[in-house]
Amino acid sequence: MHVQIVLFDGFDPLDAIAPFEVLHAGATASGGAVSVELVSAEGPREVVSGTGGLSLRATCSLDPRRPGVVLVPGASGRLGDPDDGTDPEDDGGQGDTVAVRLARALDTELRSLLGAAMEDTRITVATVCGGALVLAMAGLLQDRHATTHHLGLDLLDATGVHAVRARVVDDGDLVTAAGVTSGLDLGLYLLEREVGPRIAHAVEELFAHERRGTTWRPGGLAPAAF
């Protein structure tokens, strides 16, 4: 399983680093059955996150035809309405809102690259936090089941997505995770799904982190109202 973690200007560092570390450990535990890299729509470059100017280096271009997983993080920034009249320079250095940074990411080649990845049956697209909103704002998640940070669930639902309040949602070739720390759970779930529970368990023990919640899937009996 090869995983491409997509970086874009304003990304949330933990959304990217948490699954990267889990998957990198999975690569060691599996003897190379897993590989992971940081990519961008523009190719190799330093990509500045939305948190304190921290940057990570993308080592190559996102390849929407390479079999495996394409993982999209969310953005870090101010919460609230992008038209609330707040001057970004007067908000404690937080800069743009999360919504503005997500929309700006789609004003690049990233939109078409993600569209191509979604169309390729050999690729599973995964997201952490606002990464699901990136896909939804690009019109790529119509009628799909997905989750995001709890503050973005209403927006996700408004785009025509079946928003699910769960830590991880598996909708086949689309696997989405909720708030930022859920990137750990997403990484562990992808390891379990793609290379088996023994590898996932070994990494879980190494990281001293137990996955939280039930991974939601669109199957089984529908629950009655409580």
Side-chain angles (χ1 to χ4, degrees):
M1 173 180 69
H2 182 71
V3 184
Q4 301 179 78
I5 299 180
V6 181
L7 303 181
F8 56 84
D9 293 323
F11 74 94
D12 185 287
L14 191 55
D15 286 6
I17 289 297
F20 181 92
E21 287 214 38
V22 169
L23 294 164
H24 186 268
T28 301
S30 66
V34 178
S35 56
V36 58
E37 63 183 341
L38 301 177
V39 303
S40 80
E42 299 79 15
R45 70 182 182 99
E46 295 293 326
V47 187
V48 180
S49 77
T51 303
L54 174 68
S55 65
L56 294 176
R57 180 163 181 78
T59 57
C60 61
S61 299
L62 169 60
D63 182 353
R65 297 302 182 194
R66 181 169 186 176
V69 176
V70 171
L71 193 155
V72 185
S76 178
R78 288 194 301 119
L79 300 177
D81 188 333
D83 298 320
D84 62 7
T86 304
D87 184 346
E89 295 185 0
D90 295 332
D91 68 355
Q94 292 300 303
D96 294 320
T97 64
V98 169
V100 165
R101 286 177 172 163
L102 294 176
R104 187 176 293 145
L106 291 173
D107 287 335
T108 69
E109 188 66 20
L110 183 60
R111 179 189 292 268
S112 62
L113 291 172
L114 291 177
M118 290 287 292
E119 293 175 356
D120 195 320
T121 58
R122 303 169 302 165
I123 293 176
T124 294
V125 176
T127 68
V128 180
C129 199
L133 292 171
V134 172
L135 298 178
M137 291 162 65
L140 299 174
L141 295 189
Q142 186 74 27
D143 294 326
R144 300 298 300 266
H145 296 91
T147 193
T148 188
H149 191 285
H150 65 274
L151 294 177
L153 285 170
D154 288 344
L155 177 57
L156 190 64
D157 188 70
T159 65
V161 178
H162 300 298
V164 181
R165 188 178 290 271
R167 186 78 166 169
V168 176
V169 173
D170 183 341
D171 197 36
D173 60 357
L174 173 70
V175 183
T176 56
V180 286
T181 59
S182 65
L184 291 167
D185 302 280
L186 175 68
L188 288 167
Y189 178 69
L190 289 173
L191 288 178
E192 179 182 5
R193 194 178 95 150
E194 302 298 331
V195 295
R198 295 175 66 183
I199 298 298
H201 181 257
V203 175
E204 185 178 75
E205 282 198 313
L206 177 66
F207 278 42
H209 172 79
E210 294 183 356
R211 281 163 49 193
R212 292 171 47 194
T214 300
T215 296
W216 189 95
R217 301 178 187 86
L221 296 175
F226 292 107

